[in-house]
Amino acid sequence: MSPMLLNRPAIAYNSGFSFTGEQLAEMFRLQAEANNVMSDVWRESDNNSIPYYRASHVESVEALQHVGYKWWKRIVPNVAQAKMELIDILHFAISDMLRDGPNTTVWHELLGYGHYQAHKLSEGSVLFYAIGRFVNGFENVHINGHRTYADGNEFYVAEDVDFFDFADLCEQFSFSTIMYGSNDMGILCAMFEHIGMTPNQVHAMYVGKNVLNKFRTDMGQREGLYSKIWDGREDNEHLTEYLDRLVKDNEPTSEEDIYAFLKTRHANAKTLKEA
């Protein structure tokens, strides 16, 4: 393999991870509503004033911390919390896509660039880079072909996402956000796929986290009145437990039902304290 430029993709992977149009429309609507609460000019803001990519970079590092990277000590991965970090990234990624699309309400909230990009994931390729453990080659990658750039450099086509471990994918995502100053939806979906999340699970958790953020605000988080730890567990964990049950039983995800669950669980908690 010829030496690769760092900003040149080295591996292409054809992902089958794809949301439905209805799921995308709901996630776009919820994100637009949440962003409107935070700022009334977020659509017009450039990447320097609201750097969504930077927040995503930090969240990807936190996801890596949850699965573990310290080879010198015993690691107990917290996969549930790693998944929640990916959901946080999705909030920023959708914000990026809403902001970057044409400036029309219909486009932003229903048929936006993100809608197009996410649907194309199943038709196009997710691109990965020669960084980290893969700087010197891809001997362990399951390859089913390769393609050649006009300048003679090659990139490979991978059979599945398992040629990386989750830590590698976190590095790929961090690299891409910093290199291009934006969120790469393709790599994010590969992370969802690798950690065992389906589009339905991602959608349910995304809706749930939006509702949780609203619940936190309603309960006085901005004023310092809200406690995130209920009976020794973070509110995220209570939410994940509830959503996992919904997805397992193939039940619909309702914003109203999620809010009611959070309100009841919070009211019944015996101990509350800050994280």
Side-chain angles (χ1 to χ4, degrees):
M1 178 177 177
S2 303
M4 299 297 302
L5 299 175
L6 272 181
N7 63 348
R8 178 68 62 79
I11 297 178
Y13 165 62
N14 292 321
S15 173
F17 192 102
S18 183
F19 299 105
T20 68
E22 291 76 14
Q23 289 171 335
L24 287 165
E26 182 175 26
M27 291 190 292
F28 280 15
R29 174 181 60 80
L30 288 171
Q31 193 61 53
E33 291 174 356
N35 289 357
N36 286 336
V37 172
M38 299 295 295
S39 169
D40 57 0
V41 296
W42 67 272
R43 293 189 192 277
E44 290 74 39
S45 301
D46 59 29
N47 287 343
N48 293 322
S49 59
I50 304 181
Y52 293 119
Y53 79 91
R54 185 176 297 155
S56 295
H57 162 64
V58 174
E59 298 288 355
S60 68
V61 173
E62 292 179 359
L64 174 57
Q65 289 175 321
H66 284 304
V67 298
Y69 65 93
K70 297 180 179 180
W71 66 89
W72 60 89
K73 62 184 296 185
R74 181 173 179 267
I75 298 174
V76 181
N78 189 336
V79 176
Q81 284 303 105
K83 291 178 179 179
M84 191 58 73
E85 302 297 351
L86 299 189
I87 297 300
D88 288 341
I89 292 175
L90 184 57
H91 284 74
F92 302 125
I94 290 178
S95 296
D96 245 352
M97 292 184 290
L98 287 171
R99 182 175 58 188
D100 291 344
N103 192 20
T104 68
T105 300
V106 173
W107 178 277
H108 276 301
E109 297 185 5
L110 296 176
L111 303 173
Y113 171 69
H115 187 164
Y116 170 81
Q117 184 185 14
H119 269 305
K120 285 296 181 181
L121 289 177
S122 60
E123 301 175 20
S125 294
V126 182
L127 301 177
F128 299 100
Y129 301 85
I131 61 172
R133 294 192 301 119
F134 299 95
V135 168
N136 297 319
F138 300 88
E139 290 81 4
N140 297 321
V141 178
H142 300 148
I143 298 299
N144 62 8
H146 72 276
R147 302 170 189 170
T148 305
Y149 289 110
D151 60 9
N153 283 315
E154 296 180 341
F155 70 94
Y156 294 113
V157 180
E159 293 179 356
D160 53 53
V161 76
D162 293 335
F163 58 85
F164 285 154
D165 60 28
F166 187 73
D168 294 322
L169 291 174
C170 289
E171 292 175 355
Q172 290 285 327
F173 185 83
S174 290
F175 174 83
S176 179
T177 57
I178 294 171
M179 174 67 73
Y180 297 108
S182 62
N183 289 272
D184 191 311
M185 190 70 172
I187 298 177
L188 178 57
C189 286
M191 295 167 80
F192 286 137
E193 184 179 354
H194 191 284
I195 207 167
M197 300 178 75
T198 67
N200 287 343
Q201 289 173 321
V202 172
H203 170 257
M205 290 184 68
Y206 178 88
V207 173
K209 189 59 185 287
N210 272 272
V211 174
L212 176 58
N213 289 338
K214 183 178 187 302
F215 179 79
R216 288 171 172 174
T217 300
D218 292 346
M219 296 299 292
Q221 184 180 46
R222 291 183 180 177
E223 296 77 21
L225 303 176
Y226 176 70
S227 300
K228 291 177 64 176
I229 304 299
W230 312 349
D231 292 336
R233 300 168 62 200
E234 190 170 336
D235 52 9
N236 272 327
E237 297 179 64
H238 293 279
L239 173 65
T240 300
E241 175 187 305
Y242 174 72
L243 295 176
D244 283 347
R245 186 168 67 251
L246 288 183
V247 173
K248 180 179 179 181
D249 296 338
N250 200 30
E251 295 182 16
T253 305
S254 162
E255 297 172 53
E256 294 76 16
D257 289 345
I258 295 172
Y259 194 98
F261 162 78
L262 293 171
K263 187 174 181 179
T264 300
R265 178 68 66 92
H266 182 266
N268 292 337
K270 296 178 181 179
T271 59
L272 301 168
K273 67 177 183 178
E274 273 298 316

